[in-house]
Amino acid sequence: MRADAQNTVAEIEKSLELLAQRLNVETAQHRLEEFNARVEDPNLWDDPDAAQKLMRDRQMLVDAMETYDSIKQDLSDNVELIELGEMEEDDEVVADAEAALTALAEKAAQKELEALLDGEADGNDTFLEINAGAGGTESCDWASMLARMYVRWAEKKGYKVELQSESAGDEAGIKSATYKISGQNAYGWLKSESGVHRLVRISPYDSAAKRHTSFSSVWVYPVVDDNIEIDVNPADIRIDTYRSSGAGGQHVNTTDSAVRITHHPTGIVVTSSEKSQHQNRDIAMKALKSRLYQLELDRRNAAINEAHEAKGDAGWGNQIRSYVLQPYQMVKDLRTAHETSDTKGVLDGDLDGFMAATLALNVSGKSRAEAQEGV
């Protein structure tokens, strides 16, 4: 076997070792049998929330087992093909098998990254909050572009997207919006997006066609499972009702029963503008508990949550990523130095490369400065 093929095999084997470790492959079959036994319990659906969690956990285990077995089998098959092709001096068979190994190495590396989404809340659904920074119409338009970008990304993942609240800009775009995004590892992937995002472009709102810089902040926090207890003292919160200021249309509900909850000790403010006041109180309280839970996660695991360090004001010096549309085309993450000139693809939701780079950075333990230096 040629040296480059041997190196590819070594890469795949390394990924398999990590996948086996994360899966705990020795006990996986036994755990699946336990899941199957619980699924057959006739009383399972007496508690729908618990049943859904059980089914989701079981499916995650099944998917992990199938992924591990598939990569392991494909590796064995292609190594055998290369050895057979070399014995029979069939260069075409060898070339095909080596190409398959290269594709398998990419798949294994991606699955290795996904397996690293094992934080306490990585598997949870998530809230995504977008706020326009200083800059008026420009920043509001940029906030709406970010909202579209994340909705596109989530839809490509097959995630469910629900708009929780939205405040329209005075002339265009949005001042703020909050989404609930539901799907496997939604929070684990999106948590790397927290921070300030900077846009440089020729403004469509400037008759002089000058270049403008705009900022908007993104904040991501996990939806708290019902089995996670978060105590909120009623004396610590203020609940206000008001008329929703959303712009209406396909994605926005405008009602007279929007709810705002303010948590005095932390200054956290959450809103919801669904169809009923009762529903809004429930949604807003869940969002508040999720924010409080995120604060606790940050305290206990500050290094892993480095992505959140730039929450601050949406302005100069705090950005995590720059999107330059003029005078050249470039999106660059300032934490990992990952970049691409495909700005249209990124704004259409092609974000996996940026998320994967940040996840790998967090796992490696490198600082932002080291990443920027290419260490």
Side-chain angles (χ1 to χ4, degrees), residues 84-106:
L84 180 62
E86 289 176 342
M87 287 177 58
E88 298 181 356
E89 298 183 350
D90 189 332
D91 293 339
E92 184 176 352
V93 169
V94 172
D96 288 346
E98 288 180 343
L101 279 179
T102 299
L104 184 61
E106 294 177 359

Side-chain angles (χ1 to χ4, degrees), residues 245-257:
S245 60
Q250 182 178 357
H251 299 295
V252 185
N253 297 312
T254 56
T255 72
D256 291 312
S257 58

